Amino acid sequence: MTEQSNHAIVYGASGLVGWSIVDQLLKQYPESGTFSKITAITNRPLDISRSYWPETDATGPKLELVSGVDLRHADGPTFAESLKDKLEDIASVTHVYYLVFTAIADDIEEVDTNLRMMRNVIHAHERFSPNLRFVAFPGGTRGYGIYVPGGTFTPPLQEDMVSNLPPDYAATVVYPAYRKLLNEASEGKSWTWCEVCPDAIIGFTPNGSQFSLALHWAQYLSLYAFNHGKGPNAPSAQDAIVKIPFPGNAAGANSLFTPASSQTIARFLVYASLNPDTCGQGNLFNIADHQKPCTYGELWPKLAEWFGLEGVGPADESESNLNTLKVGELPDSTASLPPGEYISSHKEIFLRHGCENAVTAGVGAGHRQLDSVGYWLTFDRQMSLEKIRKTGFEGDKDPVGAWIESFEMFRKAGLIL
Ligand SMILES: NC(=O)c1ccc[n+]([C@@H]2O[C@H](COP(=O)([O-])OP(=O)(O)OC[C@H]3O[C@@H](n4cnc5c(N)ncnc54)[C@H](OP(=O)(O)O)[C@@H]3O)[C@@H](O)[C@H]2O)c1
């Protein structure tokens, strides 16, 4: 390796942000030659021929894919030794991108398990990667208290608010524990770190993802279109307009938020890691595709249109549950079947039309939370992008673009019709 060439290791490379980081690095973001080696780590098996990452030639970075790395499997020195044995060259790693997350019903257990996994990774690189320069990871707006019905802070959400998170709530979120771990581990060392904070992340994964709203809604819209004579494979094509109501209530459709594409997040994590003086030292950056917040109500017609449908306002006018539902809760009754239940009822259509991947690699355990998005997130939660804009990172892009690019990739990967 030349002095300037870097070795990136991406933990959670099969996830929403992780897949995109590997994709961007293989496409040689930010410029050719910045990284000579990319090590992509996954837990579940990932077949490289079905990864949808670009192929590289001899001039591009070398990709090493290592699957079957369960970060909970062992701890401390035992984990570090086993990681070293699995990787071709842990010693040359310069940049760690940490995108692992496992959801557990008990919040405290979730914090403990996720913290333990990150600690294993950091300690292994501290021990075996003397050239380590940067560690980057995404937190999320859960860290601004959005899991409290009605939210915690008055938006726009600003980075310094996280230090005022009520302690009882903070104990249920892993991000403060990650910060403490990284602050302590990096003190006096030659590496530094940063965190980005996205709200909903819009992107593609070939293998499913627990909390991919884009995949969840795409599968719903795809099956709904098919059942109403729209889109590819539809049994009897219909010219008539088919309306599909927003899956939520009016407040869910009208509340302000700032979504981010996985690509924007991936690019910023790389950008930040190459600019440690301005972006390191444990800095937290809000991230989104556009400074101007949007609403799900505005987005819905544009998403439905891609499937040949007319997206209309919510069928549920009632706001009796306004700001009382907890994350993952739905009202006692909904005017139409929630997307996850609709998908479960009709998923054999995917199988009949060669989309086995759609059944084996959907959103899994996250579907209840994703179903509740339009009913639970009934309050404004937009973030300020002032801080990230000062770093010189790229500017606004149309937030609809990420959804459409994801839909195209889902179709290519057999995740929708
Ligand atoms: N999704 C969103 O909309 C959203 C919004 C805001 C913040 N966030 C935050 O962003 C971060 C990344 O989330 P994401 O949505 O990108 O997650 P994701 O798509 O579900 O990916 C999670 C990754 O973690 C890996 N993983 C899980 N358990 C593991 C284990 N025991 N050992 C090794 N790897 C393991 C998974 O690997 P396998 O696939 O191999 O199992 C997967 O690659 C999380 O902190 C999340 O809270 C997400």
Side-chain angles (χ1 to χ4, degrees), residues 12 14-16 43-44 69-71 101 139 175 199 201 209 211:
S14 49
L16 270 176
N43 182 22
R44 290 177 296 157
V69 181
D70 183 347
L71 303 182
F101 185 74
Y175 313 136
D199 193 73
I201 302 176
S209 159
F211 297 102

Side-chain angles (χ1 to χ4, degrees), residues 86-101:
K86 281 189 172 131
L87 306 188
E88 278 170 8
D89 185 12
I90 195 172
S92 62
V93 167
T94 51
H95 293 73
V96 172
Y97 303 98
Y98 187 84
L99 302 312
V100 170
F101 185 74

Side-chain angles (χ1 to χ4, degrees), residues 257-268:
F257 78 118
T258 32
S261 64
S262 55
Q263 190 190 90
T264 300
I265 300 168
R267 287 165 77 91
F268 181 70

Side-chain angles (χ1 to χ4, degrees), residues 15 25 108 114 123 197 208 213 259 280 327 344 356 366 377 384 404 406:
L25 292 174
I108 302 303
N114 281 288
H123 286 176
C197 178
L213 187 63
V327 54
S344 297
E356 290 81 13
L377 289 169
S384 158
I404 305 305
S406 304

